[in-house]
Structures are given as structure tokens and as C-alpha cells.
Amino acid sequence: MDARLLIMGGAAGPELLVRFVELAGGAAARIVVIATASEQPETAEAHYVDAFTSRGAGRVRALRLATRADANAPAAATALRDATGIFFTGGDQERITSVLGGTATDSLLQELVASGAVLLGGTSAGAAMMSATMIVGGDGPGVSAASVRTGPGLEFLPGVLIDQHFAQRGRLNRLLSAVARYPHELGLGIDEDTAILTDGDRFEVLGSGAVTVVDAGAASDIRVPGTGPIALAGALIHVLPAGHTFHLTGRKPGIGDSHEDREPASPARPQRVPVPAGGGGPAPAGGADRPGDV
Amino acid sequence: MDARLLIMGGAAGPELLVRFVELAGGAAARIVVIATASEQPETAEAHYVDAFTSRGAGRVRALRLATRADANAPAAATALRDATGIFFTGGDQERITSVLGGTATDSLLQELVASGAVLLGGTSAGAAMMSATMIVGGDGPGVSAASVRTGPGLEFLPGVLIDQHFAQRGRLNRLLSAVARYPHELGLGIDEDTAILTDGDRFEVLGSGAVTVVDAGAASDIRVPGTGPIALAGALIHVLPAGHTFHLTGRKPGIGDSHEDREPASPARPQRVPVPAGGGGPAPAGGADRPGDV
């Protein structure tokens, strides 16, 4: 089964929240919310537990991973193995990588996602960390090496650089700066209340905004000086609103795909059957009083 | 002689101001500043008269065109025919078109520019008005028909849409929105302290930032709904800093042109010989007391 990722650009509205719940199994969903990115995890946890519960998820709980010890604790594995959907909130993506990177939770998430056992969702910082190379900062006005800082992400979606709040924060310059430096990485700028849903090598756009894809692999010439503006000639740009698709390895938009006749709110693929708890290893039935839950 | 335009993206620094003076003839330059776009023309006029005078221009004066009557007055023609360089300040580009459009000044400017008798410069609103189709507003967060409003410009540089303060104000969305609607127009986003210098069918980039060229003519598919986000697949984007060139009709960046060995501050072409006063028609020698001057 292919990895399924629902990657949101921040400020997700009802359509995207409902979609996450449906894809995680609806009334049978068991959703785990991880607010490690947030400075105020209680608030973020409460927000998404309520958001998913009120949209019909069977069970939603928060898993507090504040330290690497938490992320290596058996209780975390227990909670994650029981989940049909795992959701990372916004905040600071470097908190996610510094707390989770290389831990047992990191390994288990990779395994669960690769096997298709869970739907992995994330918004804002929880979206940025999904890529192999993560944008961690930089808001310089121009396109230059100094306009973007990157670091390794958790690599759930290889071959891409993800930026969020894209149109709302005018972040094209930093995405262009990043792909000019790393043209093998495809730049994905996801607007607020907008998401990509991956399905193997393809993603579909959901929500009210658009996903801007910048493909500097197509560039005829790129020059990145140590200081000063970058030169980039012949990059491709695609602006893809809901219903449009993109093939990642072929680097081709599916804008011509016939999606006009589908119901926008209906799932693009059959709702997944929730996997049995513990499908990937030892998995005690989860209880509300497990350590690490809130 | 080809039309020469120096089109600045706002907040022009010393390099661009010096370049304008040099290209207008240096110590022999006779520069006319037109602040019609500005709500406070006295301030804008004083700023640029000082800026050009202090950079060695032979003579700089303001020409106040506040009304269509001013723009049809013989005094305006007299001042303009005597100029080697004419400069439009920033402000509101629609004030320029509403005061000048279709007047004797408009016709004369077209004639003087087409003949190469003057260097025409402009910044911000004075840049926007140079294009055939002018962006007059719109700052919606996404790429949509509602994110940009356009109107006819004065058409000194046909075939393009110009946006200014480009990186600084995060205006890619409105430029993409405009070219998606009008893919025959090439979108030029000029950063602050950055300019294009046209030379026939080609322009060169000057200044500290970059010019972003969006070519939606290359797009494989474009869909512009009445409301909601635009879809645009396969547009080309070029980010061109100083020294790089672009061929307008061929829609090709000259990023590979060998400019590395030129002196950045030296003119790319021989300084122009100031044209004799009145080269294009009756032209009394200008005096400081002409009506319309300040």
C-alpha cells in the first residue's frame, strides 16, 4: 500500500479537516495529534482534538512528545501503532526534527507510513517537516542564497521542498531561492486552507487555495552567488488549485486530467479501511490513561 | 534610433540615479521630472530634481502636469522637446493615464521616445504606466481573477505587464493572475532599486535586485474561473539580476550572455550624445520661468 500523506499549508478549514477524518476511517478512525512543533502544545492539542472529534472521528487523542525520551518511550509506539491517522500541528518545524529525529518514534512513523498503515497529516510546520529538505527560515525580500535557510526534514515525501502559508505570506522568493540552490528538489508552495494528498507518485490538490510547483530542474541556467541575487532562467511554474494533480517523478501537472465532473468534497479514492490495531508489531490495546496521552 | 526606456521598480538607489543621468547625457543632460502620479508633487519633484542634479546632470527641472489642460499646453511641449531625459515619479499610475492619456503630451512623448530623441525613465507608478496593459491594483492572497485589476497603460513598452516593488511586496500572485488572464503579455516583476534598460527588442537588468519574468505564453493549460483560484500549468519563470538580459519578442533570457567581465557601473552602451534642443520640431530655448515648470 502506498504511503498516504495529507500535507496542509496552514489555517485548514472544515473541508480539509473533514477530509482528514474521512481518510483516517471516519467513525472508525483512531487519530493521534502530535503538537511537538507548538510552543503551547496544550492549546494546539485541544484545538485539533476538538476539530477532528467534532467532524466525526471515532477517537482522537493527543500524544505529548516534548522530549527525545518521550519519543523513545514504549508508550509512544503503543499509541502510534494503534492509530489510523497521525496529525502534526503547526509551530516550529525544527522542534519536530530535534525532538523526533532518529528516535524510535521517527523509525516507527517511517514504517507505518511506508506500509500504508496510517494516514499521516500535518499543517504548517507539520507540513514542512514532511519533505527531505525542509525550509526552516528566511524571509529576505529577494531571490538569494541568504533568503532561505534549509535543513533536513523527516523525509516522508522525498524529492520535494515544502513551503506553507505560501500566497498569504508571499513566499515565492524563498521557494525560488531554495530550488535554485537545490534544483533536484521540486518546490511546493502550499497556500493556507489548501493541501496535497499523496497517492504513490502523484498528488492531488485539495482546499480553497492553490499549490504552486516550481521546477528548477527544467532551468537552462542557474547562478547562485555567495551574496547578491540569484539568476535562474527557464524554471517551470505551475499553479494548481483543487482537483488538479501532479506527478512527482515525471514532474508533470495533471491539469488536463478530467476532474471537472467529480464532486469536490468526495474522496478521490475509496475511504480506507482502518487497519487493525497493532498491525505492524506488538500493540496493546490503547487506553485513555496511557502515559504520553493528554 | 531605438526607443530607450529605463524602468525602475521603486526605491531607486544611487547606481540607478547615476545611470539615468549618464544615459541622458551627463553634464550635458537636460532632464524633466514629471510627478503627475504623486499626491504631493512638490515633494516628489524636489526629491528627483535634487537627486539628478547632485549626480551631475547638466540641468534638471520639474514639469507640473496636474490637469489635462496642462498636458495640452504648448509650454509642456516646449519643455519636453528640449529634454534629453524625461522621468516619471511614483504615486498612482492611474493619475498618469487620466491626466496624460490622449493629450498632446502623450502624443509628443510617444514621438520623442520612438525616435530615440529622449531617454524615458520612470519608477514605481512611473514604471507601471510604461506597459501596454498596466496593473492598477489587486493584492488578493491567491492567484485568481480577483487578485489583479488591470487597465491600459501608455504603451511605451508593448507586449508586457509591469509590476514593481516586486519582491518587497510579494507580488508574484498578482503578476501570475494577470498573465494567466492575458498570456500574450509577458509579466515583468521589477524589484526595488532595480531597473530594466531597454535597447530595441532587448532589455538589460540593472541595480541591486532582480527582474522576475513570467511567461504564461509557454503554458500548456490555463483555466481562469470567474471566482476561485486560477490553474496555470507549464509557465516559465526567469529570475534575472543585474547584467542579465532578456529578448522580448523571442521571450528568451540572455542569462548565458557574457557580462561577467563588464564593469557593473559602466554604461552597457556608449553614452548617448545629447540631441540638439528642438530636434523634433519647434523648440524655443528653455528658460527657468516657463509656465509649468517649478
Side-chain angles (χ1 to χ4, degrees):
Chain A
M1 196 169 179
D2 284 324
R4 286 178 316 140
L5 307 170
L6 185 59
I7 307 176
M8 306 177 185
E15 180 198 334
L16 296 181
L17 298 171
V18 165
R19 194 67 177 270
F20 183 79
V21 170
E22 287 175 350
L23 290 165
R30 294 185 302 283
I31 293 173
V32 169
V33 172
I34 300 177
T36 300
S38 177
E39 281 190 346
Q40 301 185 304
E42 299 85 350
T43 308
E45 288 165 357
H47 174 79
Y48 285 102
V49 168
D50 176 65
F52 296 134
T53 302
S54 67
R55 269 93 188 180
R59 198 181 64 195
V60 189
R61 53 188 54 171
L63 174 62
R64 180 72 59 85
L65 301 176
T67 65
R68 294 180 66 81
D70 293 343
N72 281 315
T78 303
L80 295 173
R81 284 195 186 282
D82 182 52
T84 62
I86 299 171
F87 187 84
F88 279 82
T89 73
D92 178 351
Q93 48 266 47
E94 291 190 285
R95 266 201 290 270
I96 300 176
T97 53
S98 64
V99 172
L100 265 59
T103 65
T105 288
D106 184 3
S107 302
L108 178 58
L109 285 171
Q110 295 290 345
E111 173 195 326
L112 295 173
V113 169
S115 71
V118 299
L119 170 72
L120 183 65
T123 188
S124 194
M129 69 84 180
M130 299 245 193
S131 51
T133 302
M134 184 169 80
I135 295 179
V136 297
D139 276 302
V143 177
S144 71
S147 292
V148 67
R149 290 180 297 112
T150 60
L154 291 184
E155 302 184 40
F156 294 106
L157 188 61
V160 305
L161 274 158
I162 296 173
D163 211 345
Q164 339 83 40
H165 305 282
F166 189 70
Q168 289 73 19
R169 299 191 188 171
R171 285 180 162 171
L172 180 83
N173 292 316
R174 77 180 203 179
L175 192 61
L176 282 170
S177 302
V179 297
R181 291 169 70 186
Y182 313 115
H184 52 296
E185 306 276 22
L186 204 62
L188 306 184
I190 308 179
D191 289 354
E192 293 184 355
D193 191 31
T194 305
I196 65 170
L197 174 63
T198 69
D199 180 7
D201 187 40
R202 174 178 169 277
F203 70 73
E204 180 185 355
V205 179
L206 312 175
S208 63
V211 173
T212 301
V213 181
V214 183
D215 177 5
S220 55
D221 203 353
I222 301 175
R223 299 177 192 200
V224 182
T227 59
I230 283 171
L232 172 64
L236 283 169
I237 188 165
H238 315 286
V239 181
L240 307 174
H244 295 290
T245 60
F246 194 86
H247 296 265
L248 287 163
T249 53
R251 295 192 166 205
K252 286 282 179 203
I255 190 175
D257 293 2
S258 178
H259 284 280
E260 284 82 353
D261 53 355
R262 83 171 174 81
E263 286 292 308
S266 72
R269 43 184 286 165
Q271 288 187 23
R272 90 183 263 265
V273 179
V275 294
D289 54 349
R290 285 177 299 161
D293 277 17
V294 171
Chain B
M1 195 170 179
D2 284 325
R4 286 178 316 140
L5 308 170
L6 185 59
I7 308 176
M8 306 178 184
E15 179 198 335
L16 296 181
L17 298 171
V18 166
R19 194 68 177 268
F20 183 78
V21 170
E22 287 175 351
L23 290 166
R30 295 185 300 285
I31 294 173
V32 169
V33 172
I34 301 177
T36 300
S38 177
E39 280 191 347
Q40 301 185 304
E42 299 86 350
T43 308
E45 288 164 357
H47 173 79
Y48 286 102
V49 168
D50 176 65
F52 296 135
T53 303
S54 66
R55 268 94 189 177
R59 195 181 66 196
V60 190
R61 53 187 53 173
L63 174 62
R64 179 73 57 88
L65 301 176
T67 64
R68 293 181 64 84
D70 293 341
N72 282 315
T78 303
L80 295 173
R81 284 194 186 281
D82 182 50
T84 63
I86 298 170
F87 187 85
F88 279 83
T89 73
D92 177 351
Q93 49 266 47
E94 290 189 286
R95 264 200 291 269
I96 301 175
T97 53
S98 65
V99 171
L100 266 60
T103 64
T105 288
D106 183 4
S107 301
L108 179 58
L109 285 171
Q110 294 290 347
E111 174 195 325
L112 294 173
V113 169
S115 70
V118 300
L119 170 70
L120 182 65
T123 189
S124 194
M129 70 84 179
M130 299 244 194
S131 52
T133 301
M134 183 171 80
I135 294 179
V136 296
D139 277 302
V143 177
S144 70
S147 292
V148 66
R149 290 181 296 111
T150 60
L154 290 185
E155 303 183 38
F156 294 106
L157 188 60
V160 305
L161 274 158
I162 296 172
D163 211 344
Q164 340 83 37
H165 306 281
F166 189 69
Q168 288 73 18
R169 299 189 188 173
R171 285 179 162 172
L172 180 83
N173 291 316
R174 78 180 202 180
L175 191 62
L176 281 170
S177 302
V179 297
R181 290 170 69 186
Y182 311 115
H184 52 295
E185 305 277 21
L186 202 62
L188 306 183
I190 307 178
D191 289 353
E192 292 183 355
D193 190 31
T194 305
I196 66 171
L197 174 62
T198 70
D199 180 7
D201 188 39
R202 173 180 171 278
F203 70 74
E204 179 186 355
V205 179
L206 311 175
S208 64
V211 173
T212 301
V213 181
V214 182
D215 177 5
S220 54
D221 203 352
I222 301 174
R223 296 176 193 201
V224 182
T227 59
I230 283 171
L232 173 64
L236 283 168
I237 187 165
H238 315 285
V239 181
L240 307 174
H244 295 289
T245 60
F246 194 87
H247 296 265
L248 287 163
T249 53
R251 294 191 167 206
K252 287 279 179 205
I255 188 174
D257 291 5
S258 178
H259 283 281
E260 283 84 352
D261 54 354
R262 82 173 174 79
E263 285 293 307
S266 73
R269 43 183 288 164
Q271 288 188 23
R272 90 183 263 265
V273 179
V275 295
D289 54 351
R290 286 178 296 160
D293 277 17
V294 172

